[in-house]
Amino acid sequence: SQQGEEDPQALSIQEGENATMNCSYKTSINNLQWYRQNSGRGLVHLILIRSNEREKHSGRLRVTLDTSKKSSSLLITASRAADTASYFCATDQISSGSARQLTFGSGTQLTVLP
Amino acid sequence: NAGVTQTPKFRVLKTGQSMTLLCAQDMNHEYMYWYRQDPGMGLRLIHYSVGEGTTAKGEVPDGYNVSRLKKQNFLLGLESAAPSQTSVYFCASSFVGSGGQFFGPGTRLTVL
């Protein structure tokens, strides 16, 4: 079963615009992570936000976490064509113990048009 | 520093055949994972290992076996391949404790 569900499933924007993707999850977490996957490639870790954090920045990325609503958002500012990829949220659930298993959502396909 | 590598990159099997996928990492990570990714879906955990000599089942372990004889290697075996195992397989590794996972480039497996 999918712990995280991204919204929207697909997003198409113009270069320079901001892109916002949302993730909802069901059970208590240690942290939530965002990954990027370019077509035909492996996943690349973008950013991790812990359950006691509300917002985190990394370059053009901003992640927020609302544990009361069990949701997170990923904002990519000033998007570029190179940002075209699938973006996945992944939750490290408290129930996984020390194994640090991640449960992935089904992803948002972002297309940035030049 | 190659990171996480996977062998082979592509493979076509006939139903009932067996094969082993090899994952290697050179980052001295304790934790290693095998996932499968099907079209339009996120990754699902097959098996994982929290250290040399240890393995555990993930969300979808049926039809797969794993071994972690050396810290740097994590092998995924299919004893009798089925068409339902057609997928892209990803290996990942991570440090002990919280943190992101490092992924390999994937193995695209087709079972006819």
Side-chain angles (χ1 to χ4, degrees), chain A residues 15-28:
Chain A
E15 205 164 25
E17 293 181 338
N18 295 341
T20 299
M21 288 158 269
N22 302 296
C23 171
S24 60
Y25 58 92
K26 297 174 184 172
T27 62
S28 297

Side-chain angles (χ1 to χ4, degrees), chain B residues 1 6-7 9 11 16 27-28 36 43 46 53 62 69 78-79 85-86 88 97 103 105 109 112:
Chain B
N1 192 335
Q6 292 183 230
T7 308
K9 289 185 169 54
R11 186 73 186 269
M27 297 173 283
N28 202 33
R36 60 177 289 172
L43 278 68
I46 305 171
D62 294 342
L69 299 180
L78 285 73
E79 291 184 348
Q85 294 178 305
T86 293
V88 181
F103 281 80
L109 174 66
L112 303 175

Side-chain angles (χ1 to χ4, degrees), chain A residues 2 37 88 104-107, chain B residues 36-44:
Chain A
Q2 298 292 329
Q37 183 180 33
F88 295 90
F104 285 82
S106 54
Chain B
R36 60 177 289 172
Q37 184 178 34
D38 299 297
M41 298 182 67
L43 278 68
R44 291 183 292 170

Side-chain angles (χ1 to χ4, degrees), chain A residues 87-109:
Chain A
Y87 291 82
F88 295 90
C89 70
T91 50
D92 177 355
Q93 298 171 51
I94 289 176
S95 59
S96 73
S98 61
R100 300 302 176 193
Q101 300 174 58
L102 294 180
T103 303
F104 285 82
S106 54
T108 292
Q109 171 62 50

Side-chain angles (χ1 to χ4, degrees), chain B residues 26-97:
Chain B
D26 60 3
M27 297 173 283
N28 202 33
H29 286 171
E30 287 292 335
Y31 292 180
M32 297 187 75
Y33 309 84
W34 275 108
Y35 296 91
R36 60 177 289 172
Q37 184 178 34
D38 299 297
M41 298 182 67
L43 278 68
R44 291 183 292 170
L45 183 65
I46 305 171
H47 285 282
Y48 64 96
S49 168
V50 298
E52 181 178 320
T54 74
T55 63
K57 294 180 180 180
E59 181 186 354
V60 289
D62 294 342
Y64 305 95
N65 57 74
V66 288
S67 64
R68 182 103 181 265
L69 299 180
K70 293 183 179 180
K71 186 177 182 178
Q72 63 267 35
N73 296 337
F74 195 29
L75 278 63
L76 178 70
L78 285 73
E79 291 184 348
S80 179
S84 60
Q85 294 178 305
T86 293
S87 188
V88 181
Y89 292 85
F90 288 99
C91 176
S93 68
S94 70
F95 289 109
V96 173

Side-chain angles (χ1 to χ4, degrees), chain A residues 32-99:
Chain A
L32 184 144
Q33 304 175 28
W34 286 91
Y35 288 80
R36 183 187 74 231
Q37 183 180 33
N38 291 90
S39 181
R41 308 291 291 273
L43 278 72
V44 175
H45 180 256
L46 295 176
I47 195 166
L48 179 153
I49 186 165
R50 301 185 195 286
S51 60
N52 61 353
E53 297 176 311
R54 292 297 167 257
E55 186 170 315
K56 203 161 184 180
H57 297 253
S58 177
R60 295 185 293 114
L61 305 180
R62 182 174 81 100
V63 170
T64 61
L65 179 64
D66 186 336
T67 53
S68 66
K69 295 182 179 178
K70 291 186 169 58
S71 67
S72 173
S73 67
L74 171 67
L75 169 67
I76 304 174
T77 60
S79 63
R80 306 166 182 168
D83 294 328
T84 294
S86 293
Y87 291 82
F88 295 90
C89 70
T91 50
D92 177 355
Q93 298 171 51
I94 289 176
S95 59
S96 73
S98 61

